[in-house]
Amino acid sequence: MALIVQKYGGTSVGTPERIRAVAARIAKARVAGDDVVVVVSAMGHSTDELIALAEKVSPQARTHLREMDMLLTAGERVAMALTAMALRDLSVDCVSFTGSQAGIITDESHSSARIVEIRPTRVQEELARGKVVIVAGFQGVSRAKEITTLGRGGSDTTAVYLATALKAARCEILTDVRGVFSADPRLVHDARSYTELPLAAVLHMARHGAQVMHHRAMEHALQHGMTLWVGHSVEAEAGTWLRPQVTSTLPPVLAVVSAEDCSCLTIIARDEAAAAATAVASHAVAGQLTPSGPLIKIPLSGDEKTCRAALQSWHDALIAPQGPHRRYTP
Ligand code: ADP
Ligand code: ASP
Ligand code: MG
């Protein structure tokens, strides 16, 4: 019997039907004999909605950092309680915990706190009683007993830290796309999906703008050699393994990602040599490109349209010719 941590993102728990589907998936893992810890994000766009609500009440809402954290942690709390109810309806014994109850201890930085320690005593006690434990993602408590949040997308980080602290066999990140692709499949036509990728490559992707994984989750997974599986929360079989090392042969160019503010693109190559060769081969179209390790940065003008067009054309030039791949069908 293995211990697995499953994290469900906002879209995956976005409606009552989806919460019931998530509960059914958790129940399946339980029936298969695994111990399961579940981390949930806030439903759908509820974090954005709470931010908008705060701004309607107070134009300076974003400066009220402590109170924003008190507000936003409510989103995950709603999702955890509803998921626990749906799971109980399937006769699966379970309990939900806030980040604080689960022993997620952070520093004091409201809105972008770092996890400094996990004290998962209550989680372990409930697992020992045979329960599924559902934890609210994206939140913790500081040593001064203040409630904190981990930054946007931080539920991934909750999941990976819990997985390492509990010595889980793996951490599954269940989301709205079928794994990690060579570019954001919602922006780039024909993006390539991978069956496996090295953790280090996905850390680069996360640091340079790929939303699919939170960069601190990837840093921690790499540091602890934790195997992750990123997959679709409904289509059970499709997904990407993220491992310290992979056994399959990877193509020279793995991904193209755009910065959130559209100020640049980053090409992520398999290794330094592949980046150097890619820079030389691209010279005629882009002028001199200077790789930094396995990365090549391409500055952009900063508007969304230019960014999207550049993403597609660099993907067409570098990744599309690299051979057959599983196509993304939304
Ligand atoms: P969740 O709410 O499940 O955490 P996110 O929206 O944070 O989901 O992350 C999933 C999204 O990441 C996808 O819908 C996709 O648009 C985006 N994304 C960006 N880059 C990539 C990539 N390289 N591979 C897969 N998805 C990506
Ligand atoms: N709900 C938070 C957000 O929208 C955290 C997360 O989804 O991981 O950023
Ligand atoms: Mg996310």
Side-chain angles (χ1 to χ4, degrees), residues 178-229:
R178 300 170 180 175
V180 180
F181 285 66
S182 53
D184 186 336
R186 298 192 191 283
L187 301 181
V188 169
H189 162 73
D190 220 15
R192 168 184 191 140
S193 69
Y194 291 100
T195 46
E196 60 172 356
L197 279 172
L199 290 167
V202 183
L203 170 58
H204 288 308
M205 290 170 71
R207 275 193 181 145
H208 293 90
Q211 198 193 335
V212 65
M213 283 299 298
H214 195 249
H215 63 101
R216 284 188 185 153
M218 292 313 305
E219 278 160 14
H220 194 70
L222 187 61
Q223 215 177 342
H224 291 263
M226 172 58 62
T227 296
L228 311 182
W229 191 81

Short mmCIF file of all heavy atoms in Angstrom, two decimals, residues 178-229:
data_model
loop_
_atom_site.label_atom_id
_atom_site.label_comp_id
_atom_site.label_asym_id
_atom_site.label_seq_id
_atom_site.Cartn_x
_atom_site.Cartn_y
_atom_site.Cartn_z
N ARG A 178 -3.64 17.84 -20.24
CA ARG A 178 -3.15 16.46 -20.14
C ARG A 178 -1.64 16.40 -19.99
O ARG A 178 -0.95 15.80 -20.81
CB ARG A 178 -3.55 15.70 -21.40
CG ARG A 178 -5.04 15.65 -21.62
CD ARG A 178 -5.25 15.11 -23.00
NE ARG A 178 -6.67 15.03 -23.32
CZ ARG A 178 -7.10 14.66 -24.51
NH1 ARG A 178 -6.24 14.36 -25.46
NH2 ARG A 178 -8.40 14.61 -24.74
N GLY A 179 -1.13 17.09 -18.98
CA GLY A 179 0.29 16.99 -18.70
C GLY A 179 1.05 18.25 -19.04
O GLY A 179 0.46 19.31 -19.26
N VAL A 180 2.37 18.12 -19.06
CA VAL A 180 3.24 19.27 -19.37
C VAL A 180 3.57 19.21 -20.85
O VAL A 180 3.99 18.18 -21.37
CB VAL A 180 4.51 19.25 -18.51
CG1 VAL A 180 5.39 20.45 -18.84
CG2 VAL A 180 4.15 19.26 -17.02
N PHE A 181 3.37 20.32 -21.52
CA PHE A 181 3.54 20.42 -22.97
C PHE A 181 4.77 21.28 -23.31
O PHE A 181 5.31 21.99 -22.46
CB PHE A 181 2.30 21.08 -23.60
CG PHE A 181 1.09 20.19 -23.66
CD1 PHE A 181 0.46 19.74 -22.51
CD2 PHE A 181 0.57 19.80 -24.89
CE1 PHE A 181 -0.66 18.92 -22.57
CE2 PHE A 181 -0.55 18.98 -24.97
CZ PHE A 181 -1.17 18.54 -23.81
N SER A 182 5.10 21.27 -24.61
CA SER A 182 6.25 22.04 -25.09
C SER A 182 5.97 23.55 -25.11
O SER A 182 6.89 24.34 -25.35
CB SER A 182 6.62 21.56 -26.49
OG SER A 182 5.47 21.61 -27.30
N ALA A 183 4.73 23.93 -24.92
CA ALA A 183 4.33 25.34 -24.77
C ALA A 183 2.92 25.29 -24.20
O ALA A 183 2.30 24.21 -24.18
CB ALA A 183 4.32 26.06 -26.11
N ASP A 184 2.43 26.42 -23.75
CA ASP A 184 1.06 26.44 -23.23
C ASP A 184 0.10 25.97 -24.34
O ASP A 184 -0.05 26.64 -25.37
CB ASP A 184 0.71 27.87 -22.78
CG ASP A 184 -0.64 27.92 -22.10
OD1 ASP A 184 -1.48 27.04 -22.34
OD2 ASP A 184 -0.86 28.87 -21.32
N PRO A 185 -0.55 24.81 -24.16
CA PRO A 185 -1.40 24.28 -25.23
C PRO A 185 -2.62 25.14 -25.52
O PRO A 185 -3.28 24.96 -26.54
CB PRO A 185 -1.81 22.90 -24.71
CG PRO A 185 -1.65 22.97 -23.24
CD PRO A 185 -0.54 23.95 -22.98
N ARG A 186 -2.91 26.09 -24.65
CA ARG A 186 -4.03 27.00 -24.93
C ARG A 186 -3.58 28.16 -25.82
O ARG A 186 -4.41 28.88 -26.36
CB ARG A 186 -4.61 27.57 -23.63
CG ARG A 186 -5.15 26.49 -22.76
CD ARG A 186 -5.99 27.00 -21.63
NE ARG A 186 -6.23 25.91 -20.73
CZ ARG A 186 -7.12 24.93 -20.94
NH1 ARG A 186 -7.87 24.94 -22.03
NH2 ARG A 186 -7.26 23.94 -20.09
N LEU A 187 -2.28 28.36 -25.93
CA LEU A 187 -1.78 29.48 -26.74
C LEU A 187 -1.12 29.02 -28.02
O LEU A 187 -1.07 29.76 -29.00
CB LEU A 187 -0.74 30.29 -25.93
CG LEU A 187 -1.20 30.91 -24.61
CD1 LEU A 187 -0.08 31.69 -23.96
CD2 LEU A 187 -2.41 31.81 -24.86
N VAL A 188 -0.59 27.80 -28.02
CA VAL A 188 0.20 27.34 -29.16
C VAL A 188 -0.46 26.13 -29.80
O VAL A 188 -0.70 25.11 -29.14
CB VAL A 188 1.64 27.01 -28.71
CG1 VAL A 188 2.41 26.30 -29.81
CG2 VAL A 188 2.35 28.28 -28.30
N HIS A 189 -0.75 26.27 -31.07
CA HIS A 189 -1.34 25.19 -31.84
C HIS A 189 -0.29 24.06 -31.96
O HIS A 189 0.87 24.35 -32.22
CB HIS A 189 -1.73 25.75 -33.22
CG HIS A 189 -1.93 24.70 -34.24
ND1 HIS A 189 -3.04 23.88 -34.24
CD2 HIS A 189 -1.17 24.32 -35.29
CE1 HIS A 189 -2.93 23.04 -35.25
NE2 HIS A 189 -1.82 23.29 -35.90
N ASP A 190 -0.71 22.83 -31.78
CA ASP A 190 0.18 21.71 -31.99
C ASP A 190 1.28 21.57 -30.93
O ASP A 190 2.35 21.03 -31.21
CB ASP A 190 0.83 21.82 -33.38
CG ASP A 190 0.92 20.47 -34.05
OD1 ASP A 190 0.24 19.55 -33.58
OD2 ASP A 190 1.67 20.34 -35.02
N ALA A 191 1.03 22.08 -29.73
CA ALA A 191 2.03 21.90 -28.66
C ALA A 191 2.20 20.41 -28.38
O ALA A 191 1.26 19.64 -28.48
CB ALA A 191 1.59 22.63 -27.41
N ARG A 192 3.43 20.04 -28.04
CA ARG A 192 3.77 18.63 -27.86
C ARG A 192 3.59 18.22 -26.40
O ARG A 192 4.01 18.95 -25.49
CB ARG A 192 5.23 18.50 -28.27
CG ARG A 192 5.89 17.23 -27.92
CD ARG A 192 7.36 17.31 -28.30
NE ARG A 192 7.92 16.00 -28.19
CZ ARG A 192 8.79 15.45 -29.02
NH1 ARG A 192 9.25 16.14 -30.04
NH2 ARG A 192 9.24 14.24 -28.84
N SER A 193 2.98 17.08 -26.17
CA SER A 193 2.86 16.62 -24.78
C SER A 193 3.93 15.57 -24.53
O SER A 193 4.28 14.79 -25.41
CB SER A 193 1.47 16.05 -24.52
OG SER A 193 1.30 14.84 -25.21
N TYR A 194 4.46 15.57 -23.33
CA TYR A 194 5.55 14.65 -22.99
C TYR A 194 5.04 13.54 -22.08
O TYR A 194 4.19 13.78 -21.23
CB TYR A 194 6.66 15.40 -22.26
CG TYR A 194 7.40 16.37 -23.15
CD1 TYR A 194 7.12 17.72 -23.14
CD2 TYR A 194 8.38 15.90 -24.03
CE1 TYR A 194 7.79 18.60 -23.97
CE2 TYR A 194 9.05 16.78 -24.87
CZ TYR A 194 8.76 18.11 -24.84
OH TYR A 194 9.41 18.98 -25.67
N THR A 195 5.60 12.35 -22.25
CA THR A 195 5.27 11.30 -21.30
C THR A 195 6.14 11.42 -20.05
O THR A 195 5.71 11.08 -18.96
CB THR A 195 5.45 9.88 -21.91
OG1 THR A 195 6.69 9.87 -22.59
CG2 THR A 195 4.34 9.55 -22.87
N GLU A 196 7.36 11.95 -20.23
CA GLU A 196 8.18 12.24 -19.04
C GLU A 196 9.13 13.40 -19.32
O GLU A 196 9.51 13.65 -20.46
CB GLU A 196 8.95 11.00 -18.56
CG GLU A 196 9.91 10.40 -19.55
CD GLU A 196 10.78 9.30 -18.94
OE1 GLU A 196 10.70 9.05 -17.73
OE2 GLU A 196 11.57 8.71 -19.71
N LEU A 197 9.49 14.09 -18.27
CA LEU A 197 10.42 15.22 -18.35
C LEU A 197 11.25 15.25 -17.08
O LEU A 197 10.77 14.85 -16.01
CB LEU A 197 9.65 16.54 -18.45
CG LEU A 197 9.11 16.97 -19.82
CD1 LEU A 197 8.21 18.20 -19.67
CD2 LEU A 197 10.24 17.26 -20.82
N PRO A 198 12.49 15.77 -17.17
CA PRO A 198 13.27 15.92 -15.93
C PRO A 198 12.70 17.07 -15.08
O PRO A 198 12.27 18.09 -15.63
CB PRO A 198 14.68 16.27 -16.43
CG PRO A 198 14.64 16.26 -17.91
CD PRO A 198 13.23 16.18 -18.37
N LEU A 199 12.74 16.91 -13.76
CA LEU A 199 12.25 17.96 -12.86
C LEU A 199 12.93 19.29 -13.16
O LEU A 199 12.29 20.35 -13.15
CB LEU A 199 12.55 17.57 -11.40
CG LEU A 199 11.75 16.40 -10.82
CD1 LEU A 199 12.37 15.94 -9.50
CD2 LEU A 199 10.29 16.81 -10.58
N ALA A 200 14.24 19.24 -13.45
CA ALA A 200 14.99 20.49 -13.66
C ALA A 200 14.43 21.27 -14.85
O ALA A 200 14.34 22.51 -14.80
CB ALA A 200 16.46 20.19 -13.87
N ALA A 201 14.03 20.57 -15.91
CA ALA A 201 13.51 21.28 -17.09
C ALA A 201 12.19 21.96 -16.75
O ALA A 201 11.93 23.10 -17.17
CB ALA A 201 13.31 20.29 -18.24
N VAL A 202 11.37 21.30 -15.94
CA VAL A 202 10.06 21.90 -15.60
C VAL A 202 10.25 23.04 -14.59
O VAL A 202 9.50 24.01 -14.59
CB VAL A 202 9.07 20.81 -15.12
CG1 VAL A 202 7.70 21.42 -14.83
CG2 VAL A 202 8.94 19.73 -16.19
N LEU A 203 11.30 22.96 -13.78
CA LEU A 203 11.62 24.09 -12.90
C LEU A 203 11.95 25.32 -13.77
O LEU A 203 11.46 26.42 -13.52
CB LEU A 203 12.79 23.76 -11.96
CG LEU A 203 13.36 24.93 -11.17
CD1 LEU A 203 12.30 25.61 -10.30
CD2 LEU A 203 14.52 24.48 -10.27
N HIS A 204 12.77 25.13 -14.81
CA HIS A 204 13.07 26.25 -15.71
C HIS A 204 11.78 26.79 -16.32
O HIS A 204 11.57 28.00 -16.41
CB HIS A 204 14.00 25.82 -16.84
CG HIS A 204 15.42 25.57 -16.40
ND1 HIS A 204 16.14 26.48 -15.66
CD2 HIS A 204 16.24 24.51 -16.61
CE1 HIS A 204 17.35 25.99 -15.42
NE2 HIS A 204 17.43 24.80 -15.98
N MET A 205 10.90 25.86 -16.76
CA MET A 205 9.65 26.30 -17.39
C MET A 205 8.85 27.15 -16.40
O MET A 205 8.34 28.22 -16.73
CB MET A 205 8.83 25.09 -17.85
CG MET A 205 9.46 24.37 -19.02
SD MET A 205 8.68 22.78 -19.40
CE MET A 205 7.14 23.31 -20.07
N ALA A 206 8.74 26.66 -15.16
CA ALA A 206 7.93 27.34 -14.15
C ALA A 206 8.53 28.71 -13.81
O ALA A 206 7.81 29.70 -13.69
CB ALA A 206 7.83 26.48 -12.90
N ARG A 207 9.86 28.77 -13.70
CA ARG A 207 10.50 30.05 -13.34
C ARG A 207 10.35 31.09 -14.43
O ARG A 207 10.35 32.28 -14.16
CB ARG A 207 12.00 29.82 -13.13
CG ARG A 207 12.31 29.36 -11.74
CD ARG A 207 13.81 29.46 -11.52
NE ARG A 207 14.16 28.99 -10.19
CZ ARG A 207 15.28 28.35 -9.90
NH1 ARG A 207 16.18 28.11 -10.85
NH2 ARG A 207 15.52 27.97 -8.67
N HIS A 208 10.23 30.64 -15.68
CA HIS A 208 10.21 31.60 -16.78
C HIS A 208 8.82 31.83 -17.35
O HIS A 208 8.69 32.43 -18.41
CB HIS A 208 11.23 31.19 -17.85
CG HIS A 208 12.63 31.32 -17.32
ND1 HIS A 208 13.28 30.29 -16.68
CD2 HIS A 208 13.46 32.39 -17.24
CE1 HIS A 208 14.47 30.72 -16.27
NE2 HIS A 208 14.60 31.98 -16.60
N GLY A 209 7.79 31.34 -16.68
CA GLY A 209 6.43 31.77 -17.06
C GLY A 209 5.40 30.68 -17.27
O GLY A 209 4.23 31.00 -17.42
N ALA A 210 5.79 29.39 -17.31
CA ALA A 210 4.77 28.35 -17.56
C ALA A 210 3.93 28.18 -16.29
O ALA A 210 4.44 27.82 -15.23
CB ALA A 210 5.43 27.04 -17.94
N GLN A 211 2.65 28.40 -16.43
CA GLN A 211 1.76 28.42 -15.27
C GLN A 211 1.47 27.02 -14.73
O GLN A 211 0.99 26.88 -13.60
CB GLN A 211 0.45 29.05 -15.73
CG GLN A 211 -0.43 29.54 -14.61
CD GLN A 211 -1.83 29.84 -15.12
OE1 GLN A 211 -2.02 30.13 -16.29
NE2 GLN A 211 -2.80 29.78 -14.24
N VAL A 212 1.77 26.02 -15.53
CA VAL A 212 1.30 24.68 -15.17
C VAL A 212 1.78 24.19 -13.80
O VAL A 212 1.08 23.46 -13.11
CB VAL A 212 1.61 23.67 -16.31
CG1 VAL A 212 3.11 23.47 -16.50
CG2 VAL A 212 0.91 22.36 -16.11
N MET A 213 2.98 24.62 -13.39
CA MET A 213 3.48 24.26 -12.05
C MET A 213 4.03 25.50 -11.36
O MET A 213 4.64 26.36 -11.99
CB MET A 213 4.61 23.23 -12.16
CG MET A 213 4.17 21.82 -12.46
SD MET A 213 3.08 21.08 -11.21
CE MET A 213 4.11 21.08 -9.76
N HIS A 214 3.83 25.57 -10.04
CA HIS A 214 4.37 26.69 -9.26
C HIS A 214 5.88 26.48 -9.09
O HIS A 214 6.32 25.36 -8.81
CB HIS A 214 3.67 26.72 -7.89
CG HIS A 214 3.87 27.99 -7.14
ND1 HIS A 214 4.63 28.06 -6.00
CD2 HIS A 214 3.44 29.26 -7.38
CE1 HIS A 214 4.62 29.31 -5.55
NE2 HIS A 214 3.91 30.05 -6.37
N HIS A 215 6.66 27.55 -9.29
CA HIS A 215 8.12 27.38 -9.29
C HIS A 215 8.64 26.86 -7.95
O HIS A 215 9.57 26.05 -7.90
CB HIS A 215 8.81 28.68 -9.69
CG HIS A 215 8.58 29.81 -8.75
ND1 HIS A 215 9.50 30.19 -7.81
CD2 HIS A 215 7.51 30.61 -8.56
CE1 HIS A 215 9.01 31.19 -7.10
NE2 HIS A 215 7.80 31.46 -7.52
N ARG A 216 8.01 27.26 -6.84
CA ARG A 216 8.52 26.78 -5.54
C ARG A 216 8.22 25.30 -5.35
O ARG A 216 8.97 24.59 -4.68
CB ARG A 216 7.94 27.60 -4.38
CG ARG A 216 8.62 28.95 -4.29
CD ARG A 216 8.20 29.71 -3.06
NE ARG A 216 8.78 31.03 -3.06
CZ ARG A 216 8.26 32.09 -2.44
NH1 ARG A 216 7.12 31.96 -1.78
NH2 ARG A 216 8.85 33.25 -2.49
N ALA A 217 7.14 24.84 -5.94
CA ALA A 217 6.84 23.40 -5.89
C ALA A 217 7.93 22.63 -6.63
O ALA A 217 8.42 21.60 -6.17
CB ALA A 217 5.48 23.12 -6.51
N MET A 218 8.35 23.17 -7.78
CA MET A 218 9.37 22.49 -8.58
C MET A 218 10.73 22.53 -7.88
O MET A 218 11.48 21.55 -7.91
CB MET A 218 9.47 23.12 -9.98
CG MET A 218 8.27 22.89 -10.87
SD MET A 218 7.68 21.18 -10.90
CE MET A 218 9.14 20.29 -11.37
N GLU A 219 11.04 23.67 -7.25
CA GLU A 219 12.32 23.76 -6.52
C GLU A 219 12.39 22.69 -5.44
O GLU A 219 13.40 22.00 -5.28
CB GLU A 219 12.45 25.14 -5.84
CG GLU A 219 12.92 26.23 -6.77
CD GLU A 219 12.59 27.63 -6.27
OE1 GLU A 219 12.24 27.80 -5.08
OE2 GLU A 219 12.67 28.57 -7.08
N HIS A 220 11.30 22.55 -4.71
CA HIS A 220 11.28 21.60 -3.60
C HIS A 220 11.30 20.15 -4.11
O HIS A 220 11.99 19.29 -3.54
CB HIS A 220 10.03 21.85 -2.74
CG HIS A 220 10.06 21.17 -1.42
ND1 HIS A 220 10.91 21.57 -0.40
CD2 HIS A 220 9.38 20.10 -0.94
CE1 HIS A 220 10.73 20.77 0.65
NE2 HIS A 220 9.81 19.88 0.35
N ALA A 221 10.58 19.89 -5.19
CA ALA A 221 10.56 18.53 -5.75
C ALA A 221 11.96 18.14 -6.21
O ALA A 221 12.43 17.02 -5.96
CB ALA A 221 9.58 18.45 -6.92
N LEU A 222 12.65 19.09 -6.84
CA LEU A 222 14.00 18.81 -7.34
C LEU A 222 14.97 18.58 -6.17
O LEU A 222 15.75 17.62 -6.18
CB LEU A 222 14.48 20.00 -8.19
CG LEU A 222 15.80 19.83 -8.92
CD1 LEU A 222 15.74 18.67 -9.90
CD2 LEU A 222 16.16 21.11 -9.68
N GLN A 223 14.85 19.42 -5.17
CA GLN A 223 15.71 19.31 -3.99
C GLN A 223 15.55 17.94 -3.30
O GLN A 223 16.50 17.38 -2.80
CB GLN A 223 15.29 20.39 -3.01
CG GLN A 223 16.37 21.00 -2.21
CD GLN A 223 15.77 22.12 -1.34
OE1 GLN A 223 14.66 22.61 -1.61
NE2 GLN A 223 16.47 22.50 -0.33
N HIS A 224 14.34 17.41 -3.32
CA HIS A 224 14.07 16.16 -2.60
C HIS A 224 13.90 14.95 -3.51
O HIS A 224 13.56 13.86 -3.04
CB HIS A 224 12.82 16.32 -1.72
CG HIS A 224 13.05 17.26 -0.58
ND1 HIS A 224 13.37 16.84 0.68
CD2 HIS A 224 13.06 18.61 -0.55
CE1 HIS A 224 13.55 17.91 1.46
NE2 HIS A 224 13.37 18.99 0.73
N GLY A 225 14.09 15.15 -4.82
CA GLY A 225 13.95 14.03 -5.75
C GLY A 225 12.56 13.40 -5.73
O GLY A 225 12.40 12.19 -5.89
N MET A 226 11.53 14.23 -5.53
CA MET A 226 10.15 13.72 -5.47
C MET A 226 9.58 13.54 -6.88
O MET A 226 9.59 14.48 -7.67
CB MET A 226 9.29 14.69 -4.66
CG MET A 226 7.79 14.44 -4.65
SD MET A 226 7.22 12.82 -4.05
CE MET A 226 7.79 12.80 -2.36
N THR A 227 9.11 12.35 -7.19
CA THR A 227 8.49 12.10 -8.49
C THR A 227 7.09 12.71 -8.52
O THR A 227 6.29 12.50 -7.60
CB THR A 227 8.41 10.58 -8.74
OG1 THR A 227 9.74 10.08 -8.81
CG2 THR A 227 7.69 10.26 -10.05
N LEU A 228 6.81 13.46 -9.58
CA LEU A 228 5.49 14.07 -9.75
C LEU A 228 4.81 13.48 -10.99
O LEU A 228 5.49 13.04 -11.92
CB LEU A 228 5.59 15.58 -9.93
CG LEU A 228 6.44 16.40 -8.96
CD1 LEU A 228 6.34 17.88 -9.31
CD2 LEU A 228 5.98 16.19 -7.53
N TRP A 229 3.51 13.50 -10.96
CA TRP A 229 2.75 13.14 -12.17
C TRP A 229 1.77 14.27 -12.41
O TRP A 229 0.96 14.60 -11.53
CB TRP A 229 2.01 11.81 -11.97
CG TRP A 229 1.44 11.26 -13.23
CD1 TRP A 229 2.11 10.54 -14.19
CD2 TRP A 229 0.08 11.36 -13.70
NE1 TRP A 229 1.26 10.21 -15.21
CE2 TRP A 229 0.01 10.70 -14.94
CE3 TRP A 229 -1.07 11.96 -13.20
CZ2 TRP A 229 -1.16 10.61 -15.67
CZ3 TRP A 229 -2.24 11.87 -13.94
CH2 TRP A 229 -2.28 11.19 -15.16
#
